[in-house]
Amino acid sequence: KDYTVYAGWKKISLGKTSISSLTNSGTSALKVQYGTVQGAEGYEVNYAVNSVFTDGKTITVSQPNVTITGLKAGTTYYVRVRAFKTDSAGEKVYSEGGYSTYKMYKTAPAAPQINTVTGGTNKITVSWDKVTGASYYEVYMATSKTGTYSKIASVKSGTTSYAKSGLSTAKTYYFKVRAYTTLDGSKIYGSFGTIKYGTTATAAPAISSAAGGSGKATIKWGAVTGASGYAVYMAASANGTYSKLTTVS
């Protein structure tokens, strides 16, 4: 016996979403928010380091927001989103028009680590490691490790050192550095690196007397603030070669 079967179907149609915000969640994460689409089961968030999404990665979620983790510090990322729904055949149907218009954002630069702090006469020179993606470095200084830090310099990314002058003699200062990048006129700050300290040089001791004796000479000088010891040098003439005789504490 023959049967006549009648079937009908309805085309699944999904609207297109758009990204409402991209915010930085540190050096390795971005939070993405986008509009909900009526009838959608979920969303595919596609991101890459280029605007044509070569070698891009996709995260599938059910909610209209997601935090992308595992990103590289100081790197520009491009993000786009599309909604989907599964049809009766188990196939995904995507938003009409495909992905949203992409948006671009940058992760914060990594924390710059100070590698040397060199004291001099009334100055200290601080140098640090270069950080990928940095536009500028900000150098902060305090007179104690847990004290109040003040910004003393903003240095372009091509430079990784700064000399702070006008400091007190034989005094210890503490330094920390952070980097930032810029996007649409706004600054995206990274974290501060490890705090390091340095001490300015002591003042030059002034010899107060030099008395000769039988096969000897006695030298006296004024005490210098902050000195841990004194090194005594001697030469046969004022412009001759000086050799260190002794160290006095």
Side-chain angles (χ1 to χ4, degrees):
K1 186 176 181 179
D2 295 330
Y3 293 91
T4 301
V5 178
Y6 297 91
W9 63 89
K10 183 178 181 180
K11 180 182 178 182
I12 296 176
S13 179
L14 289 176
K16 194 173 182 178
T17 187
S18 61
I19 296 173
S20 56
S21 69
L22 281 176
T23 52
N24 201 302
S25 295
T27 58
S28 61
L30 289 176
K31 185 175 182 180
V32 189
Q33 292 184 301
Y34 37 90
T36 57
V37 174
Q38 186 175 2
E41 290 179 5
Y43 304 87
E44 290 185 351
V45 181
N46 187 224
Y47 64 97
V49 295
N50 54 76
S51 60
V52 293
F53 293 86
T54 304
D55 298 324
K57 296 182 179 180
T58 300
I59 299 174
T60 302
V61 294
S62 59
Q63 71 276 7
N65 60 78
V66 68
T67 298
I68 305 171
T69 59
L71 304 178
K72 293 181 180 179
T75 302
T76 301
Y77 284 91
Y78 299 81
V79 184
R80 59 185 182 177
V81 185
R82 64 180 176 180
F84 71 86
K85 183 177 178 65
T86 306
D87 64 16
S88 58
E91 299 292 332
K92 282 185 178 180
V93 177
Y94 293 101
S95 298
E96 292 185 4
Y99 282 105
S100 65
T101 300
Y102 70 76
K103 284 198 173 184
M104 177 187 73
Y105 208 76
K106 296 179 180 181
T107 51
Q113 298 301 326
I114 295 173
N115 50 52
T116 61
V117 183
T118 307
T121 303
N122 300 117
K123 73 174 184 178
I124 292 179
T125 301
V126 183
S127 63
W128 55 89
D129 295 329
K130 181 180 179 180
V131 169
T132 299
S135 298
Y136 281 84
Y137 300 99
E138 291 185 345
V139 185
Y140 285 70
M141 183 184 78
T143 54
S144 68
K145 187 173 183 179
T146 58
T148 301
Y149 285 80
S150 299
K151 185 172 74 172
I152 58 172
S154 183
V155 182
K156 287 187 177 181
S157 60
T159 301
T160 54
S161 66
Y162 177 74
K164 172 62 177 174
S165 58
L167 301 177
S168 299
T169 300
K171 187 174 178 64
T172 298
Y173 294 88
Y174 295 79
F175 299 88
K176 60 182 180 179
V177 182
R178 67 177 177 178
Y180 71 83
T181 187
T182 58
L183 181 66
D184 297 330
S186 297
K187 295 177 182 178
I188 302 172
Y189 285 97
S191 301
F192 284 104
T194 303
I195 295 170
K196 295 288 183 71
Y197 67 90
T199 304
T200 53
T202 59
I207 294 175
S208 56
S209 67
S214 178
K216 69 176 183 179
T218 302
I219 311 299
K220 294 184 178 180
W221 58 87
V224 172
T225 300
S228 300
Y230 303 89
V232 183
Y233 288 73
M234 184 183 74
S237 66
N239 297 320
T241 301
Y242 287 79
S243 300
K244 186 166 75 170
L245 296 177
T246 187
T247 300
V248 181
S249 58

